[in-house]
């Protein structure tokens, strides 16, 4: 049995000399760390001084940069005033003649080339640009509407304006100056000059520092590093981010946060930040490193933004690190010299102790070998038995002293499975330099003449690293119990495999039944999908016939009137009717095309639509019928509302509602025959109301009004698809269609759409 670890440590513990080495080592380490602490504090003081000098220089550079930026941008602030006083500008805004506008475009282009401004342009009171210096480019501002810009809103009120933003047309960052154009005391337009800020980035791009320009929200809108654009140095709340997005100052750019890891104040003017930067190694791989910067910023009051400078502290940190390394090396060398001197004196003392310890260890190892439970056999360079421990004789159950000097094969016989591996390990060329023999483990048995039975053992052969000769060690372990366990495991594994095969067969049969049921389910599902498709096609076909009936009726009315005008030789009126017929033909073609798109579930073209134009178009179709039936139509003529919709679909819904109102009046009306259209805008929604003077809708009709093939009309006068199709059209335009009874009588339908806001430049 092996001794305990505590007992073993006593055998191998070296004897201490009379002088206490631990005490000297602690003193040595203490002196060393005191020197390093002094060195570190000195480096901090030097680093603080160099950073203060850098801060003073940076403050001068910041003031110089702010002065250059302020003067460079400010020189453009009076250009809009000069443009606004130009007679040709006033004449172009007042008369709008193409010749004047073309001449003004050329003059603006020449002025821009001389002043090196980014763009100059003239805007009318409606926000539309009539002339611009970039009129030759594909990204020209001519025709663009900038009424939503703050600089336009200030100038149209008679005040000079200024604003910074990302151009939605040119996608270029710039600072805008604007000034109103007066005609007497009235403002007839706005003159605008845009200054491109990229010129400052190019001018300061090769400096020893990085610079930032930040808007009042702290968003970086100009920088010597393009990856810092549209980022913030601090944190913005959710409400602030929403406000910035709604102002469209940066169009569709995402506002993110600069990767600042830490920030601490340095003095009253500067702070030190630690930031993550992406760099590329010599192989082109992208890496992320931490860099420290000295940051100083200054407010530019005239332009309402800040300019900041970031100076890297890498050079100062590298100098301090080099200084510390040199002095630390000197301290280390000095301490090593003293340590080596002390070590030499200790080595002389410990050499005598080592001889005694070697004898002690040999006795200890001999005791361990004699009492270990594993059988140990040492072999000479010819693989003959040199020595063995008592554990080998316990395994063989007899004395083995007679086998000393004989080959190992007389004691151990390797199994047939491992014989090749064993022979290869024993056949090494002893006369050739080679690597030491690795551990080789095989199975076999002890076979000793005169013994009752063989003993199953496991043998491990390795080479001993001795200085003067080559020797080997063989370790034997009894395998009787392990063999019994292996037999039990083999039987259990065979039983398990049989059970797995039986269970696998059952699962395969269940899978076949499941696949058959899935096939039948897919076939049934395909039949249901096909039936649904046929039902939708039938509904749309009936709806197409219903929607084309109204324009065809109008075409017949215009054609009959046209014949009468021709007979009376009123050619101008006849020509007007023919134009209406042509427009209705195009309109029917658009309806058919739209129904094809609707049948394919295509996307509706959401474009800005003038509500007055849609009402006028619907009234042109319905006017003949109103005249024929004696129904009076009341509709607005000066609606100035724009919605996001499809013109053909919106007219179709209005025509259907007007036709239903006409049918309701003719079938149930008892008093005045009147159809009324009114428009109401509520915040971002626009409501178009169509009211008739009939008897109103029943409760049953209100509940089922928008269901396909439901109609409250008498038999034969309707298919019941008009309102169902109209509701689908409104859904496709992100709108809504509803109905109610008006308090003063009659039914009232409401078409609700999203209002369009002029937010593109």
């Amino acid at each position: 049995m092996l001794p305990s670890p505590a007992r073993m440590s006593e055998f191998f513990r070296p004897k201490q000399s009379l002088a206490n080495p631990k005490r000297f080592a602690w003193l040595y380490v203490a002196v060393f760390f005191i020197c390093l602490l002094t060195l570190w504090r000195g480096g901090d003081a030097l680093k603080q001084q160099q950073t203060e000098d850098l801060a003073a220089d940076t403050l001068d550079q910041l003031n110089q940069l702010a002065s250059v930026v302020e003067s460079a941008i400010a020189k453009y602030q009076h250009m809009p005033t000069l443009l606004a006083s130009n007679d040709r500008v006033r004449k172009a805004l007042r008369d709008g003649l193409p010749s004047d506008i073309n001449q003004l475009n050329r003059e603006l282009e020449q002025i821009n080339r001389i002043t090196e401004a980014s763009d100059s342009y003239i805007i009318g009171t409606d926000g539309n640009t009539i002339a611009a210096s970039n009129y030759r480019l594909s990204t020209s501002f001519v025709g663009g509407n900038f009424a939503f810009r703050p600089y336009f809103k200030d100038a149209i009120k008679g005040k000079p304006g200024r604003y910074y933003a990302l151009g939605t047309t040119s996608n270029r960052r710039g600072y805008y100056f604007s000034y109103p154009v007066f005609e007497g005391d009235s403002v007839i337009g706005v003159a605008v000059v845009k200054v491109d800020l990229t010129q400052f980035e190019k001018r300061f791009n090769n400096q020893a520092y990085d610079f930032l320009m930040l808007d009042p929200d702290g968003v970086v809108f100009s920088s010597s590093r393009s990856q810092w654009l549209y980022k913030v140095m601090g944190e913005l709340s959710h409400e602030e981010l929403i406000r910035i997005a709604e102002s469209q100052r940066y169009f569709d750019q995402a506002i993110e946060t600069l990767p600042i890891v830490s920030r601490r104040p340095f003095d009253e003017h500067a702070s030190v930040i630690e930031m993550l930067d992406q760099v590329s190694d010599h192989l082109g791989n992208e890496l992320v490193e931490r860099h420290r910067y000295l940051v100083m910023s200054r407010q530019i009051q005239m332009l309402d933004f800040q300019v900041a400078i970031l100076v890297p502290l890498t050079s100062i940190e590298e100098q301090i690190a080099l200084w510390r390394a040199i002095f630390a090396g000197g301290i280390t060398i000095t301490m090593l010299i003293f340590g080596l001197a002390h070590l030499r004196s200790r080595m002389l003392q410990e050499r005598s102790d080592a001889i005694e310890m070697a004898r002690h260890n040999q006795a200890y190892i001999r005791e361990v070998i004699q009492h270990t439970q594993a059988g140990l056999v040492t072999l000479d360079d010819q693989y003959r038995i040199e020595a063995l421990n008592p554990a080998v004789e316990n395994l063989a159950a007899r004395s083995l002293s007679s086998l000393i000097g004989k080959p190992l094969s007389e004691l151990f016989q390797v199994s047939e499975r491992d014989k090749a591996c064993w022979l290869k390990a024993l056949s090494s060329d002893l006369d050739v330099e080679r690597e030491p023999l690795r551990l080789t483990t095989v199975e076999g048995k002890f076979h000793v003449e005169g013994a009752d039975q063989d003993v199953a053992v496991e043998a491990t052969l390795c080479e001993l690293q001795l200085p003067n000769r080559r020797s080997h060690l063989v370790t034997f372990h009894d395998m009787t119990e392990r063999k019994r366990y292996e037999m039990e495991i083999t039987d259990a594994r065979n039983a398990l495999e049989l059970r797995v095969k039986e269970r696998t067969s059952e699962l395969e049969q269940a899978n076949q039944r499941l696949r058959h049921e899935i096939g039948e389910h897919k076939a049934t599902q395909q039949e249901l999908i096909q039936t649904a498709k046929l039902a939708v096609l039938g509904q749309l076909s009936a709806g197409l016939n219903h929607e084309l009936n109204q324009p065809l009726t109008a075409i017949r009315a215009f054609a009959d009137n046209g014949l009468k005008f021709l007979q009376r030789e009123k050619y101008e009126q006849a020509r007007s009717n023919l134009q209406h017929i042509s427009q209705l033909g195009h309109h029917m073609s658009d309806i058919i095309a739209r129904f094809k798109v609707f049948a394919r579930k295509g996307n509706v073209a959401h474009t800005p639509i003038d509500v007055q134009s849609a009402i006028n178009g619907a009234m042109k179709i319905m006017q003949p019928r109103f005249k024929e039936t004696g129904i009076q139509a009341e509709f607005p003529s000066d609606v100035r509302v724009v919605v996001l919709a499809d013109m053909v679909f919106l007219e179709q819904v209005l025509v259907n509602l007007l036709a239903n109102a006409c049918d309701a009046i003719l079938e149930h009306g008892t008093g005045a025959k009147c159809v009324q259209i009114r428009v109401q805008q509520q915040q971002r929604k626009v409501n178009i109301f169509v009211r008739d003077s009939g008897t109103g809708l029943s409760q049953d009709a209100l509940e089922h009004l928008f269901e396909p093939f439901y109609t409250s009309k008498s038999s034969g006068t309707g298919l019941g698809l008009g309102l169902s199709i109209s509701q689908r059209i409104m859904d496709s335009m992100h709108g809504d269609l509803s109905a109610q009874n008006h308090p003063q009588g009659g039914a009232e339908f409401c078409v609700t759409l999203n209002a369009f806001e002029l937010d593109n430049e």
Side-chain angles (χ1 to χ4, degrees), residues 598 602 604 606 649 653 706 723-738 751-754:
F598 189 73
V604 178
H606 289 101
F649 276 178
V653 172
F706 298 105
L723 291 177
S724 175
I725 294 175
S726 297
Q727 188 183 49
R728 292 194 181 194
I729 292 174
M730 294 306 301
D731 290 341
S732 65
M733 294 189 296
H734 307 300
D736 186 38
L737 177 61
S738 59
V751 175
T752 303
L753 290 167
N754 294 321

Side-chain angles (χ1 to χ4, degrees), residues 84 120 170 253 326 402 425 517 530 548 604 702:
S120 303
S170 61
Q253 292 289 341
I326 293 174
S402 60
E517 292 176 0
Q530 185 64 23
L548 292 178
V604 178
L702 288 174

Side-chain angles (χ1 to χ4, degrees), residues 631-646:
I631 296 176
Q632 181 181 0
E634 298 178 2
F635 61 95
S637 59
D638 58 348
V639 176
R640 295 183 180 180
V641 177
V642 180
V643 296
L644 276 174
D646 186 290

